[in-house]
Amino acid sequence: MNSMMKPIHFKPLNGVRIVVWSAFALILVLLPAIFNSSFAMTLLCFTGIAVIACLSYNMLLGQTGMLSFGHAVYTGLGSFVAVHAMNQIVAGWYLPMWLVPLVGGFAGLFFGVLFGYVTTRKSGTPFAMITLGIGELVFAAALMFPWFFGGEAGINSNRTAGKEMWVNFGLSFGPQIQVYYLIAVYVFFCTVAMYAFTLTPLGRIANAVRDNPERAEFVGYDTRLVRFLVLMASSFFAGIAGGLSSLNIEAANAELLHAIRSGSYLLFVFLGGAIFFFGPILGAVLLVFSLFMLSEFTKAWQLYIGILFLIMVIYAPGGFSSLIMLNLRRVKYGEWRKMRWPYTWMFLFGLIALWGFASIVEMAYQIQVAAGSGSKLTVMTIPLDAASTTSWVIAVIVLIAGGVAFEYWRRKFAKVWSDGEERIADAIKKAEAAIV
Amino acid sequence: MSMLNGLSYGLLLFMLSAGLTLIFSMMGVLNFAHASFYMIGAYFAYQLSSWSNYWVGFLIAPILVALLGGLFERYMLRKTHKFGHVAELLLTFGLSFVILELVQLVWGRTSVDYAIPTAMQAPLFKLYDSTFQTYRGFMMLVALLMLVSLYLLLKKTRIGLVIQAALTHPDTTEALGHNVPRVFAYVFAGGCGLAALAGVIGGNAFITEPGMAQSVGAIIFVVVVVGGMGSLGGALIASILIGLMQTFAVGLDWSILGGAKSLGVEITSATPGYSLWSLKLSQIAPILPYLLLVLMLIVRPKGIMGTRDE
Amino acid sequence: MRVSIKPLAVGVASALMFAGAASAQNVKIGFIEGLSGPFGGVGQNQLKHFQYAAERFSGKQANSGVTVEIVPLDSKGSPQEALALLKKATDDGIRFVSQGNGSNVAGVLIDAINKHNERNPGKEVVFLNYAAIDPDFTNAKCSPWHFRFDAGVDMKIEGLTNYMKDRKDIKNVYVIGQNYSFGQQVSKFTEAMLKAKRPDVKIVGNELHPLGQVKDFAPYVAKIMAANADAVVTGNWGPDLVLLIRAASAAGYKGSFYTFYAGVIGTPTAIGAGGADRVHQVSYWHPNSAQSEIESVYTGFKAKFNEEFYTVAAVNAVRFLVAGVEKSKSTDAVKVAKAMAGMKMKGASGEDIEMRASDGALQQAMYISQWTKAGGKDVKFDQENTGFGFKTVRYLQPEQSTMATTCKMPKR
């Protein structure tokens, strides 16, 4: 973990935090004005919930170096408890509906204490395996106890219950827009809280435990306790995400607890980037985008995401956010110009190679999955026929040619990049020397 | 009979977890895609046996998969080595995704007809009313042979010594003129080959379908943790323990409800948590391994044969 | 009685044309199903059923003024995503949605559609459920917007137990299933109905195991054999069903299996010869059903996709929708729903099927069929080129599998 999560010292917006947070709030307020169809509104709600879930996951992965395969346990159980709370409101409890996500949060916290006590006994790889086991256990249990989990059908509820309470200020939460703004408020405050967490002593020690557990132990910190506390905080926020999800879809079911969901948190947080605080936000957007938009374009979306993930692990372990930040740093140190052409050519040939690759994959899918609906298809507007050899030959040639040209420019690019890196390192050293 | 069923299942689990343990103890890498190599093994064997016969698949499929594993180590895993073990784990996690998709792309999303050779479908012997299939006996035989040869390879041969040396003192071994990265690639390939062998003999005994990797993936992790991270002996004990436990638990209709009744306490459907108390042991048999995992972590966090706590 | 269903549909259509409903109308069905992910294979296969049914039973080929278009929406099997896609469908003006794989998704959809229709009058949506068979959907949770074209669990077991009633050689029955709502319902209904119809039959075991967690069924088979069961009733599907049957043949178990999902894509291949003459299926149709009037649909589908056709519910959903539009002379969901409720037709086996108005459950015939070597008059078609197919052992008229409903249907 050490070198992978090595922080990159660059804070272009230091000191203007208020501006950043205000802009964040403003975006949250204005988004529905741009995306106003009810489907887009639903996606926004999903994204908001995913943002909280991914950020809470990154408290483990990015900040404490705990790789968890069972995060859906906390979001999912939070969801279930929240949906039961909603049904109690339907039955007459005096609880405003907008507090339900907090109920989910405390449920997440409760289960975080319960399971975290066991899982945090280990760190690193064993921790990862144990979270996987706990995840399987909880998922299997969900189907065994229908009185709580509602079996396969899950549990339904109604978010408009209790709307006559004066504490709801006339909000019924029937229209999706009201739910969106409730989610937006939670997203804003949870994000602020989780950011603040990184600045607390506990957040700092968590970083130390991530980077060098032996040393942290040696200077007197109980690393297990640190992991436990971070897991508790993380599961609290995960539970809030779960509670919001119950409110949003007015239902909870066992699928929320499944390992696939845990896996997708890991996948997309990593793709977004675990080093920077805002990385998981990118990851959450990417998650909703892939799930709802990419799968409309292509049936092979999981394959593309998987391959993208492999490439990122090998070449950009900091995810997309680190790519953005590294390039911004180039701009700041005036190195960007030298990279314009390598970037352009890499992009161009990369796109060509991608077309060749995508054509092969799509044609294979056409034959395997969509047989019978004809062999014709288009890949990036270019028509192909999976039944004709010509199409296959063209695709292979394009892939190879594009790939070779891409590799040529990638090597050039790598050279330019590492030269630039040296110059920036020098510049930073000089600047530090000047301060001293 | 239950004993034999449990043993044969346990030994299959051991074949699976042996490769995983081996790779973990040698390289510190937890191969998340291990069960995926098990799956490819089964699919390769299916493909080869449909072209020629079962034995060709039995011999060649593990070798092919080992080759794939070696290539993966050489061209991908090695590049992430510098980022640490978590990055390596993530890489194999991504690989498991890609393998699943590719398998579905090539062989479709439903199960394939990978059958047990007719000669071994016949019963080996009969006990009371139920029969013990020859193939089950064959599975046990293969697993035991593998166990013995693995032991001999590691303890008695020169290669084994180099592998052990590379594990504890990579720098010294390197200095003595051995190519440590290459040794790692061999170990990784060997581990994948073992997983594939388990796939070859397990794929037709059970079922060859795209979900098969996920269904055993979590269990073999449990085996490795319970047995003690990186301990082959521990993995053997844990596999057999889990195999027997699951088999025997199915036969037992015990529940807390029944236990309470024999103690004179009556639990009815009105008692809080009724569905928990009325769960029979046989109902929860398949999730017992996970309960064992939790219990083990509370009682003995280092596992059965583990030497270190962390 | 060998009438093809096409003239049948044409007959209905032309009869209505005389009534003056001949204007061309297009209806879209939003097909919300897991088309990728773990159960993507089944979803893709069902999508083909719907597309083929729309091609054959609406528009030009059916000589109807109503053309049905299928809009695939990939939910990946997740209830959450199904809900989002429902929003997407309503955004795009789709008023009819269909789903079937998984009562979890269906339950969420029914609930969401109820709320949607209440909150958005004028934009109502109707749900054509083709395979989610939780009896709750037509009883406690019944909805005026939900129409189910498959038979409920209770109906299937009513049919099965009516058959078992006459099989005097069945003495000990073992029930085994996956521990979730469907498996639990199978176990509950089988036990209750058998007790009522054959008090002499002993239920020697009633087992539930976790869904998709069991790798080795040998110990379960050992238990079944120890209990001396001569018939096993199981709600298992997919790998759980295949593994159970394989373990049984490996252990030399001689009793028979009564299943519900032996014909689902991929399962016949995996069962193969091991299940011959022992595996039975309870279904509302199978390719070798004696009065199979949609044989041309079956063969046409197989010729086109090289996959098995088995979801007659897809055909019926399209037929009822087309007839509903024709009858109401409108594509408005409320009017079509009113027209569909209580509608009667000829079914795939020539029986009288009815979309019961009181609960939205299609009343149809039921078959008990046996997995046997193909060939001869009884088993004309084999499944997935295995050389084995289903043979009718009992045909049950709709009234032999009908169930009373407790539904208090809300106003539409």
Side-chain angles (χ1 to χ4, degrees):
Chain A
M1 179 63 68
N2 308 358
S3 45
M4 186 182 122
M5 295 301 172
K6 198 163 95 185
I8 296 160
H9 293 289
F10 175 60
K11 285 184 185 161
L13 298 170
N14 217 358
V16 279
R17 228 171 248 164
I18 294 164
V19 178
V20 174
W21 287 112
S22 313
F24 182 54
L26 198 67
I27 290 172
L28 287 176
V29 170
L30 291 183
L31 273 176
I34 307 161
F35 303 98
N36 49 15
S37 80
S38 88
F39 178 57
M41 186 65 75
T42 310
L43 291 196
L44 284 182
C45 291
F46 277 110
T47 314
I49 294 165
V51 164
I52 300 182
C54 287
L55 281 172
S56 75
Y57 183 75
N58 202 38
M59 292 171 88
L60 301 176
L61 179 68
Q63 285 161 32
T64 323
M66 296 155 82
L67 178 61
S68 166
F69 285 112
H71 203 57
V73 165
Y74 307 112
T75 53
L77 288 174
S79 242
F80 273 103
V81 173
V83 93
H84 281 292
M86 285 167 73
N87 279 336
Q88 289 304 321
I89 298 173
V90 174
W93 267 16
Y94 199 84
L95 180 77
M97 203 45 91
W98 47 269
L99 277 178
V100 161
L102 273 184
V103 174
F106 286 111
L109 180 63
F110 171 77
F111 289 107
V113 173
L114 194 68
F115 298 131
Y117 177 75
V118 178
T119 56
T120 53
R121 285 178 166 235
K122 296 272 182 174
S123 68
T125 321
F127 171 80
M129 295 160 90
I130 293 155
T131 54
L132 187 75
I134 297 267
E136 292 285 329
L137 188 66
V138 171
F139 178 70
L143 291 174
M144 272 181 218
F145 301 113
W147 58 271
F148 183 78
F149 295 101
E152 184 208 20
I155 291 179
N156 292 328
S157 191
N158 190 343
R159 66 187 179 211
T160 57
K163 61 184 168 211
E164 59 288 340
M165 287 177 209
W166 67 268
V167 279
N168 276 342
F169 314 111
L171 293 173
S172 69
F173 296 111
Q176 193 68 29
I177 187 85
Q178 293 185 6
V179 177
Y180 169 78
Y181 279 114
L182 181 69
I183 290 174
V185 168
Y186 270 99
V187 167
F188 185 78
F189 285 108
C190 287
T191 310
V192 171
M194 280 187 267
Y195 184 74
F197 178 83
T198 62
L199 306 176
T200 59
L202 179 60
R204 297 295 189 193
I205 299 160
N207 291 165
V209 170
R210 169 195 71 196
D211 293 334
N212 198 332
E214 287 87 3
R215 200 179 288 177
E217 188 96 20
F218 190 73
V219 290
Y221 291 109
D222 181 352
T223 52
R224 197 201 141 190
L225 184 68
V226 172
R227 287 197 299 270
F228 192 23
L229 289 174
V230 173
L231 187 94
M232 274 154 56
S234 163
S235 52
F236 173 71
F237 288 110
I240 290 184
L244 282 172
S245 149
S246 292
L247 200 66
N248 183 33
I249 62 171
E250 308 181 82
N253 45 62
E255 188 255 347
L256 291 171
L257 299 162
H258 199 267
I260 290 178
R261 195 162 278 266
S262 298
S264 66
Y265 288 138
L266 163 60
L267 211 115
F268 286 100
V269 166
F270 182 85
L271 283 180
I275 302 174
F276 292 99
F277 182 77
F278 74 93
I281 301 180
L282 271 186
V285 174
L286 204 62
L287 188 153
V288 174
F289 172 79
S290 315
L291 241 46
F292 291 98
M293 316 294 277
L294 197 60
S295 61
E296 295 288 304
F297 283 129
T298 166
K299 291 185 190 77
W301 65 281
Q302 280 159 312
L303 183 63
Y304 295 125
I305 290 285
I307 291 175
L308 176 68
F309 182 78
L310 285 185
I311 294 172
M312 292 292 274
V313 175
I314 297 174
Y315 295 104
F320 284 115
S321 60
S322 83
L323 289 183
I324 294 173
M325 291 309 258
L326 282 171
N327 281 301
L328 280 179
R329 187 164 82 153
R330 298 265 143 163
V331 176
K332 187 182 170 193
Y333 287 94
E335 293 282 343
W336 173 257
R337 287 178 63 86
K338 296 189 190 71
M339 301 187 323
R340 267 183 319 184
W341 288 112
Y343 258 135
T344 314
W345 291 116
M346 256 172 70
F347 180 75
L348 194 70
F349 289 119
L351 206 64
I352 291 171
L354 178 69
W355 181 86
F357 179 73
S359 300
I360 292 171
V361 171
E362 294 298 322
M363 284 194 285
Y365 262 82
Q366 191 71 22
I367 290 170
Q368 180 62 257
V369 183
S373 50
S375 57
K376 300 261 192 301
L377 70 156
T378 57
V379 179
M380 300 187 202
T381 70
I382 297 167
L384 285 171
D385 185 352
S388 92
T389 329
T390 337
S391 289
W392 283 91
V393 171
I394 291 174
V396 171
I397 291 174
V398 169
L399 172 63
I400 292 172
V404 168
F406 174 80
E407 179 62 18
Y408 172 80
W409 279 103
R410 191 191 69 80
R411 288 188 184 174
K412 282 207 157 181
F413 169 80
K415 174 117 185 30
V416 176
W417 180 269
S418 62
D419 288 352
E421 202 74 349
E422 268 169 36
R423 279 195 293 274
I424 291 174
D426 283 347
I428 292 175
K429 227 176 255 167
K430 266 183 208 148
E432 275 171 4
I435 293 168
V436 174
Chain B
M1 184 57 66
S2 286
M3 190 74 181
L4 280 170
N5 279 332
L7 264 182
S8 64
Y9 179 58
L11 282 171
L12 185 82
L13 275 184
F14 171 68
M15 285 184 78
L16 259 168
S17 44
L20 186 70
T21 308
L22 206 62
I23 295 172
F24 183 77
S25 64
M26 301 283 161
M27 309 168 63
V29 179
L30 180 71
N31 184 9
F32 198 90
H34 197 72
S36 307
F37 285 106
Y38 159 78
M39 174 163 71
I40 314 181
Y43 271 99
F44 275 13
Y46 155 73
Q47 197 63 61
L48 289 165
S49 65
S50 73
W51 284 336
S52 53
N53 67 42
Y54 175 76
W55 297 105
V56 174
F58 178 77
L59 292 173
I60 298 183
I63 297 173
L64 284 180
V65 175
L67 211 64
L68 283 180
L71 288 175
F72 171 72
E73 201 284 337
R74 172 67 188 81
Y75 290 102
M76 299 183 88
L77 195 60
R78 202 173 289 178
K79 290 189 177 160
T80 54
H81 192 69
K82 57 177 180 290
F83 299 130
H85 291 325
V86 171
E88 290 171 322
L89 175 53
L90 284 173
L91 188 75
T92 56
F93 171 71
L95 182 70
S96 69
F97 255 76
V98 174
I99 289 181
L100 176 64
E101 279 298 305
L102 287 178
V103 161
Q104 291 182 344
L105 190 54
V106 178
W107 287 283
R109 288 164 192 270
T110 53
S111 60
V112 295
D113 185 23
Y114 177 33
I116 298 171
T118 11
M120 284 194 286
Q121 279 178 5
L124 188 62
F125 59 85
K126 219 169 164 168
L127 204 71
Y128 307 115
D129 257 349
S130 50
T131 55
F132 190 73
Q133 208 180 20
T134 315
Y135 195 73
R136 286 225 161 207
F138 173 70
M139 275 166 68
M140 291 170 77
L141 184 73
V142 172
L144 288 173
L145 279 179
M146 187 213 75
L147 175 66
V148 173
S149 44
L150 199 63
Y151 177 81
L152 291 178
L153 179 80
L154 284 178
K155 298 283 174 193
K156 305 284 175 194
T157 64
R158 207 182 137 73
I159 308 165
L161 289 178
V162 174
I163 291 174
Q164 286 188 324
L167 159 71
T168 47
H169 303 93
D171 297 334
T172 322
T173 320
E174 186 105 59
L176 287 171
H178 297 286
N179 187 343
V180 172
R182 188 184 291 167
V183 171
F184 279 177
Y186 287 154
V187 169
F188 196 87
C192 292
L194 287 182
L197 186 63
V200 172
I201 63 170
N204 52 0
F206 302 125
I207 183 171
T208 305
E209 50 113 21
M212 67 190 285
Q214 217 228 323
S215 71
V216 293
I219 292 274
I220 57 173
F221 283 174
V222 171
V223 169
V224 173
V225 175
V226 169
M229 299 295 289
S231 156
L232 263 184
L236 178 64
I237 297 173
S239 311
I240 292 183
L241 182 69
I242 288 174
L244 289 178
M245 196 171 72
Q246 286 196 323
T247 308
F248 279 109
V250 168
L252 300 172
D253 284 331
W254 295 346
S255 67
I256 298 178
L257 183 105
K261 200 176 256 174
S262 58
L263 291 174
V265 184
E266 199 70 35
I267 297 178
T268 62
S269 51
T271 318
Y274 172 76
S275 58
L276 179 65
W277 313 131
S278 63
L279 264 187
K280 284 185 268 182
L281 194 56
S282 55
Q283 281 177 20
I284 58 165
I287 61 160
L288 279 180
Y290 306 115
L291 288 175
L292 179 71
L293 169 82
V294 173
L295 202 70
M296 192 59 134
L297 281 167
I298 295 171
V299 180
R300 189 179 158 87
K302 57 186 148 185
I304 296 175
M305 300 275 279
T307 43
R308 296 170 294 165
D309 205 352
E310 226 34 356
Chain C
M1 265 297 276
R2 281 198 99 75
V3 227
S4 130
I5 206 160
K6 202 166 124 191
L8 242 165
V10 174
V12 174
S14 52
L16 285 164
M17 254 177 244
F18 283 114
S23 63
Q25 276 162 320
N26 290 326
V27 230
K28 284 182 185 163
I29 298 181
F31 184 75
I32 302 178
E33 201 65 86
L35 302 175
S36 61
F39 301 109
V42 180
Q44 291 283 352
N45 175 263
Q46 303 294 333
L47 172 62
K48 287 169 194 165
H49 278 83
F50 265 87
Q51 285 167 336
Y52 193 69
E55 192 183 312
R56 292 282 298 257
F57 294 99
S58 79
K60 249 197 336 245
Q61 278 202 41
N63 218 349
S64 164
V66 182
T67 309
V68 173
E69 186 196 336
I70 309 295
V71 182
L73 298 161
D74 182 8
S75 70
K76 294 150 213 102
S78 147
Q80 278 74 353
E81 283 169 47
L83 281 183
L85 292 171
L86 177 67
K87 292 255 168 68
K88 186 176 174 152
T90 52
D91 271 4
D92 297 347
I94 295 171
R95 295 289 170 259
F96 301 91
V97 295
S98 192
Q99 184 272 343
N101 294 340
S103 291
N104 52 345
V105 180
V108 170
L109 279 178
I110 291 174
D111 201 54
I113 288 172
N114 286 341
K115 284 172 194 151
H116 170 89
N117 290 356
E118 187 191 312
R119 292 173 197 169
N120 301 281
K123 289 182 179 174
E124 284 86 352
V125 172
V126 165
F127 180 26
L128 310 169
N129 166 6
Y130 70 88
I133 58 173
D134 190 328
D136 270 3
F137 299 158
T138 49
N139 288 294
K141 288 184 193 162
C142 67
S143 154
W145 312 106
H146 164 255
F147 296 93
R148 191 189 61 211
F149 295 90
D150 200 339
V153 182
D154 49 350
M155 294 166 72
K156 289 189 176 184
I157 293 173
E158 174 77 14
L160 174 65
T161 47
N162 277 340
Y163 164 72
M164 287 178 133
K165 187 174 66 183
D166 306 332
R167 281 280 305 268
K168 295 297 176 207
D169 53 323
I170 296 177
K171 294 194 173 61
N172 296 330
V173 172
Y174 201 101
V175 189
I176 181 166
Q178 297 146 324
N179 198 356
Y180 78 113
S181 55
F182 172 62
Q184 288 158 359
Q185 282 159 1
V186 169
S187 124
K188 188 179 82 187
F189 286 119
T190 310
E191 193 158 351
M193 289 178 179
L194 262 184
K195 217 166 251 169
K197 289 172 194 165
R198 278 280 304 272
D200 60 313
V201 164
K202 267 216 287 282
I203 307 277
V204 289
N206 200 338
E207 187 93 50
L208 292 169
H209 61 78
L211 172 69
Q213 294 275 333
V214 182
K215 280 104 212 165
D216 187 4
F217 270 93
Y220 292 95
V221 173
K223 213 173 162 185
I224 291 171
M225 290 170 82
N228 215 1
D230 41 34
V232 177
V233 176
T234 177
N236 284 13
W237 45 265
D240 281 340
L241 176 61
V242 173
L243 288 170
L244 175 65
I245 291 170
R246 281 201 174 180
S249 55
Y253 176 62
K254 294 281 181 293
S256 39
F257 284 92
Y258 293 91
T259 72
F260 302 88
Y261 291 113
V264 173
I265 181 170
T267 313
T269 304
I271 293 176
D277 301 328
R278 302 191 292 124
V279 175
H280 296 70
Q281 182 178 233
V282 186
S283 58
Y284 54 82
W285 185 81
H286 69 90
N288 298 310
S289 50
Q291 304 162 314
S292 189
E293 284 155 14
I294 51 172
E295 202 173 293
S296 78
V297 176
Y298 172 79
T299 48
F301 185 87
K302 197 164 183 178
K304 185 166 182 188
F305 298 107
N306 195 25
E307 277 176 24
E308 295 292 329
F309 172 90
Y310 55 95
T311 313
V312 174
V315 167
N316 284 336
V318 170
R319 287 174 66 209
F320 271 88
L321 177 60
V322 168
V325 174
E326 284 170 346
K327 189 177 162 195
S328 65
K329 296 171 204 149
S330 156
T331 53
D332 178 73
V334 185
K335 287 182 188 151
V336 175
K338 276 186 182 147
M340 274 163 60
M343 185 179 272
K344 286 178 186 160
M345 272 193 198
K346 285 282 177 204
S349 308
E351 81 278 30
D352 292 310
I353 56 174
E354 180 191 352
M355 179 49 73
R356 196 159 68 181
S358 56
D359 60 350
L362 187 68
Q363 306 297 309
Q364 55 190 335
M366 199 69 66
Y367 287 92
I368 315 292
S369 54
Q370 191 184 33
W371 182 246
T372 339
K373 194 132 193 83
K377 184 166 64 60
D378 287 342
V379 193
K380 194 168 161 194
F381 300 109
D382 72 337
Q383 294 269 303
E384 301 182 351
N385 309 320
T386 49
F388 291 86
F390 290 105
K391 177 180 84 179
T392 305
V393 290
R394 176 69 65 85
Y395 169 73
L396 298 151
Q397 287 289 342
E399 55 273 19
Q400 282 175 288
S401 63
T402 188
M403 292 295 291
T405 177
T406 59
C407 169
K408 292 186 189 66
M409 190 64 92
K411 237 185 92 161
R412 200 171 267 122

